Amino acid sequence: ATTRSADKISIATSSITGWDDEVGTFLAVVEGPFAYGAYILGGYQTETPIYSGGSTFQSWNGSTNLAAPVGNPTVAGVHKIASAGDASGRSIVSDGNTVGTDANVFISTDIVDLYIGSRFDSTGAIFGSIKSLTYYPTRLSNDALVGLTS
C-alpha cells in the first residue's frame, strides 16, 4: 500500500469577490466523522472560522472560541455548518440546530489565505470530505443560518 501526504489547499483572500475578514458568512457541507482539531476552514495560524472541537463544531477568532451548542463532528455522516460575524458579534450553527452566539469579533486579524481542510502548516487535516464551501460577503441572520444548515 502507498501512503501520501495530505493535500494543502488554500485560496488567497484577495481573489475572493467581496472579501472582508470582519464581515461575512461561511457555509460548509462536509462528510465525517472528524477528530478533535480537524480544520474544515482555517486562516493563518489561529483564525479558524470552522473546525472540529471534539464534540462540537467551533469557530476561533484568534483569541476566543465559540461552539455550536448542538452537532457532533465525531458522528459519521453529512453535516452542514454555518459561521458568520460582523462588528456586533458572531454566530455558529450546525445541522439546523440551536445557534451559538457571542459579542466577539468574527476574525481578529487580517487573513491573507484561507486553508481548506487543514491548517496553514498542513496539520489538522480533516480526513473526511468537503462537499461544498460557500462564502457570503455579508453577515446572514441567525434564522438564515439555521435555514442554510437544515
Side-chain angles (χ1 to χ4, degrees), residues 5-104:
S5 300
D7 293 321
K8 183 175 174 180
I9 303 167
S10 66
I11 183 169
T13 56
S14 61
S15 67
I16 300 173
T17 302
W19 173 255
D20 181 346
D21 53 18
E22 295 176 6
V23 178
T25 301
F26 292 102
L27 172 65
V29 180
V30 298
E31 186 167 3
F34 302 104
Y36 174 81
Y39 285 66
I40 294 165
L41 181 64
Y44 183 73
Q45 294 191 356
T46 62
E47 301 81 6
T48 310
I50 302 173
Y51 76 100
S52 167
S55 62
T56 60
F57 288 102
Q58 300 184 17
S59 177
W60 178 258
N61 68 1
S63 62
T64 308
N65 189 53
L66 176 64
V70 181
N72 190 334
T74 64
V75 174
V78 175
H79 298 281
K80 296 178 182 178
I81 310 102
S83 176
D86 61 15
S88 67
R90 61 192 174 136
S91 301
I92 188 168
V93 62
S94 64
D95 302 322
N97 290 297
T98 304
V99 179
T101 63
D102 69 19
N104 293 303

Side-chain angles (χ1 to χ4, degrees), residues 107-129:
I107 298 171
S108 61
T109 60
D110 292 334
I111 292 179
V112 176
D113 295 301
L114 284 171
Y115 295 88
I116 301 166
S118 71
R119 285 175 31 108
F120 73 98
D121 59 3
S122 296
T123 62
I126 61 170
F127 301 107
S129 300

Side-chain angles (χ1 to χ4, degrees), residues 124-149:
I126 61 170
F127 301 107
S129 300
I130 296 176
K131 297 189 168 292
S132 66
L133 185 60
T134 306
Y135 169 71
Y136 300 89
T138 186
R139 200 268 189 239
L140 299 180
S141 70
N142 288 346
D143 287 342
L145 300 180
V146 170
L148 286 170
T149 61

